[in-house]
Amino acid sequence: MSLLQQSRKILTTFALILVLTITTACGGNVSQVDRTTPPPGVGRDVTYSQLERGNTAAGQTFGDWVVQTSRGLVKDAYVRDNNKLGVVISPQVRPNEVRPLARSLVEGFRKNFPNQDLTVLVYAPDKQLILTARYDVQSRQIQYS
C-alpha cells in the first residue's frame, strides 16, 4: 500500500471522528424515551425502515444520522432500547480503522444517550460481528472484545 493511500485512509478515519464529535456536540439534546414503554407494534403507522434503524424515535433519529454522516463508512445502523448501537461497515474500512471508528461511535452515542452503559456492535460488510465496544458509565471506560 502506498504512503498516499495509507495517508488517505488515516485522514478519512480522523475526518469521521471529527465530524461525529462536532455534530453530536452541536446537535442539542435528544430526549430519552421512557424505557418502560413497549416499542410500537408493527402496523400501518410503523415503516420497515423505522424497525431497522431504531425501536424508539430517538434511536431512529440517531441511526439515520450515523448512516448519513459517515461518508460511506457505515452502510447501515440500528439502535435498540437507546443503549445498543449496531453498525454494518463498508468494505472501504480497513481492519486497523475499525477500533477508532467504534470509539468515535461510542463517543457520539454517549453524548446522545447519556448516563447509561452502552454497547456498540460493529459488523463486517457480510454482517459478521467483528468488534464489540462496551462503555461503562461508572468507570467511563470502553472495553473492546
Side-chain angles (χ1 to χ4, degrees), residues 83-87 98-107 109 117-123 129-136 141-145:
N83 66 359
K84 185 182 287 186
L85 170 66
V87 295
V98 173
R99 196 174 220 179
L101 176 61
R103 180 173 180 77
S104 178
L105 290 167
V106 167
E107 291 298 319
F109 199 32
D117 295 335
L118 303 170
T119 302
V120 173
L121 305 165
V122 181
Y123 296 90
L129 181 64
I130 56 174
L131 180 70
T132 301
R134 288 185 175 85
Y135 174 75
D136 180 51
Q141 298 293 315
I142 302 172
Q143 297 291 324
Y144 300 96
S145 57

Side-chain angles (χ1 to χ4, degrees), residues 35-50:
R35 295 172 100 183
T36 60
T37 305
V42 178
R44 284 183 256 181
D45 297 338
V46 180
T47 64
Y48 182 71
S49 64
Q50 287 175 322

Side-chain angles (χ1 to χ4, degrees), residues 4 16 36 74 103 112 116 141:
L4 180 63
L16 177 62
T36 60
V74 175
R103 180 173 180 77
N112 282 277
Q116 60 183 321
Q141 298 293 315

Side-chain angles (χ1 to χ4, degrees), residues 30-89:
V30 174
S31 63
Q32 198 164 352
V33 176
D34 181 15
R35 295 172 100 183
T36 60
T37 305
V42 178
R44 284 183 256 181
D45 297 338
V46 180
T47 64
Y48 182 71
S49 64
Q50 287 175 322
L51 292 173
E52 284 185 44
R53 292 276 161 84
N55 63 350
T56 65
Q60 172 72 28
T61 301
F62 189 74
D64 289 339
W65 177 84
V66 167
V67 173
Q68 291 170 359
T69 59
S70 70
R71 299 183 185 193
L73 296 177
V74 175
K75 290 174 26 179
D76 198 10
Y78 69 87
V79 177
R80 295 293 179 262
D81 302 325
N82 291 340
N83 66 359
K84 185 182 287 186
L85 170 66
V87 295
V88 178
I89 59 174

